[in-house]
Amino acid sequence: QVRLVESGGGLVQAGGSLRLSCAASTGTFSLYGLGWFRQAPGKEREFVAGVSWTGGSTTYADSVKGRFTFSRDNAKKTVYLQMNSLKPEDTAVYYCAAERRPGSILSPGYWGQGTQVTVSS
């Protein structure tokens, strides 16, 4: 079991930056793949960025490559999403997600409560 709590959302102008944080409460943080998803009004939830429980390279959605950076701090049991050059189309509720090995972070079983990111034009 893992509990995920996001923070860091807010309102920002286009071209600005935000950093989202997600703190996980679990004794086995290293056994989880972790990632970020988002859901815009009227749209399905979509994968943004994440890393498998095996470690290795981070996967990004094409729409955020070069602008967003995912990072993971195992000592703090926290993951981050640094979002730069934000666009109005990045407006969404952002969710932290986790999946215990051997599952895929693309099909997470654990979700945070979500944090709103609004980018004004």
Side-chain angles (χ1 to χ4, degrees):
Q1 293 283 342
V2 59
R3 181 169 177 260
L4 305 169
V5 179
E6 303 102 331
S7 60
L11 173 65
V12 64
Q13 289 188 331
S17 299
L18 281 175
R19 189 176 83 153
L20 305 182
S21 300
C22 172
S25 60
T26 175
T28 55
F29 184 73
S30 62
L31 298 182
Y32 288 85
L34 292 137
W36 292 92
F37 289 69
R38 67 185 181 186
Q39 187 167 20
K43 295 187 177 182
E44 293 187 355
R45 191 172 298 187
E46 63 175 0
F47 174 80
V48 175
V51 64
S52 165
W53 62 272
T54 60
S57 60
T58 302
T59 302
Y60 293 94
D62 288 343
S63 58
V64 306
K65 281 181 182 177
R67 299 188 299 122
F68 290 12
T69 303
F70 175 93
S71 60
R72 173 175 181 159
D73 187 331
N74 283 344
K76 295 183 178 180
K77 297 182 181 180
T78 301
V79 296
Y80 304 94
L81 186 67
Q82 177 66 45
M83 305 184 294
N84 298 329
S85 303
L86 283 160
K87 305 175 181 180
E89 50 264 43
D90 294 317
T91 295
V93 177
Y94 283 70
Y95 296 90
C96 181
E99 178 62 22
R100 187 180 172 91
R101 71 175 189 182
S104 168
I105 186 55
L106 297 179
S107 299
Y110 301 94
W111 297 91
Q113 82 284 358
T115 185
Q116 177 71 47
V117 171
T118 303
V119 184
S120 62
S121 57

